Amino acid sequence: MDISCNGLIDRRGRNVRPRLARRHTSDLRAIVLHQTTGSTFLDDRNQGWLSSGSGEHRVDRISAHFVVLQNGIIYYTHDVEDYRSGSAGRGRGIDIEFAGRFPHGDLPDPAQRISKEMIRAGRNLVFALMLQTGNITHIHPHGQVQGRQRSDNSVCGGRDSSNPCGSLDNCPGPDIWVNIGQWCSDIFHLTCDTPLPGLGFPQRGIESTQSNPAYDLQVS
């Protein structure tokens, strides 16, 4: 499916991971946000290209459907109709990776903040996906929907366990969640605190560490 969005670069067909299957656009109902926890693809030592003239970029090896950079560039790496190995891509969702390591302490680290360009690009992408796929109703942070350990380090089981997995606060972190995920939930009226039936997410709500208002950059 073609997606149109400001700053989007289409790299479909260049990925090195084969799709598992195809999905119908009408089945796409949720967006899940992630962070790469390191690679920004912008610094001098890691521009992203694997070798000169190869045409292969490191983002092609990320399983997510989209990768958003700090400068606002959006790579469309895998078709949204591709059934991927990521948490959302296994079912009725779309995975979006944000390139960078964004902490999740009580207070933001000024040296590791999300950029305004990335915030606006992420919001624009979510809105574009809502308009162009037509059925998006949910948005979630990755740690909320997939994990085997809670933020207090206690081990959790599956969805049917007496101690079900809840949310982890480290992916994508409050910088991305507060400024993009929560903002989109509030403005676009997307559900974030209850599971989408049939998606298979073991989520139990948004943790306070993930929704920490100290990370709000007040980007309009």
Side-chain angles (χ1 to χ4, degrees), residues 1 3 23-25 27-34 63-67 76 78-82 84 86-98 125-126 128-130 132-136 138-140 142 196 199 201:
M1 178 183 181
I3 298 293
R23 310 181 294 185
H24 294 292
T25 304
D27 291 334
L28 303 178
R29 297 285 304 281
I31 290 173
V32 176
L33 308 182
H34 310 248
S63 184
H65 299 96
F66 297 90
V67 181
Y76 188 8
H78 306 285
D79 198 290
V80 294
E81 293 181 329
D82 284 357
R84 306 297 305 168
S87 63
R90 291 176 300 163
R92 298 162 67 190
I94 298 171
D95 289 302
I96 303 175
E97 285 271 4
F98 292 84
L125 177 57
V126 171
L129 291 171
M130 290 176 58
Q132 295 168 49
T133 62
N135 293 298
I136 300 297
H138 286 62
I139 189 167
H140 302 286
H142 170 230
L196 173 63
L199 197 61
F201 285 172

Side-chain angles (χ1 to χ4, degrees), residues 66-119:
F66 297 90
V67 181
V68 183
L69 274 57
Q70 280 275 42
N71 61 5
I73 293 296
I74 303 167
Y75 286 116
Y76 188 8
T77 52
H78 306 285
D79 198 290
V80 294
E81 293 181 329
D82 284 357
Y83 189 90
R84 306 297 305 168
S85 59
S87 63
R90 291 176 300 163
R92 298 162 67 190
I94 298 171
D95 289 302
I96 303 175
E97 285 271 4
F98 292 84
R101 181 183 296 277
F102 304 100
H104 48 91
D106 292 338
L107 294 174
D109 179 353
Q112 292 179 287
R113 294 305 307 272
I114 187 174
S115 70
K116 293 181 179 180
E117 291 81 7
M118 179 177 271
I119 292 172

Side-chain angles (χ1 to χ4, degrees), residues 137-141 144-145 177 181-182 184-186 189-195 203-206:
T137 58
H138 286 62
I139 189 167
H140 302 286
Q144 177 196 36
V145 302
W177 178 250
Q182 186 65 60
C184 289
S185 175
D186 294 341
H189 308 294
L190 296 176
T191 300
C192 67
D193 54 0
T194 56
Q203 69 97 353
R204 295 295 185 272
I206 308 294

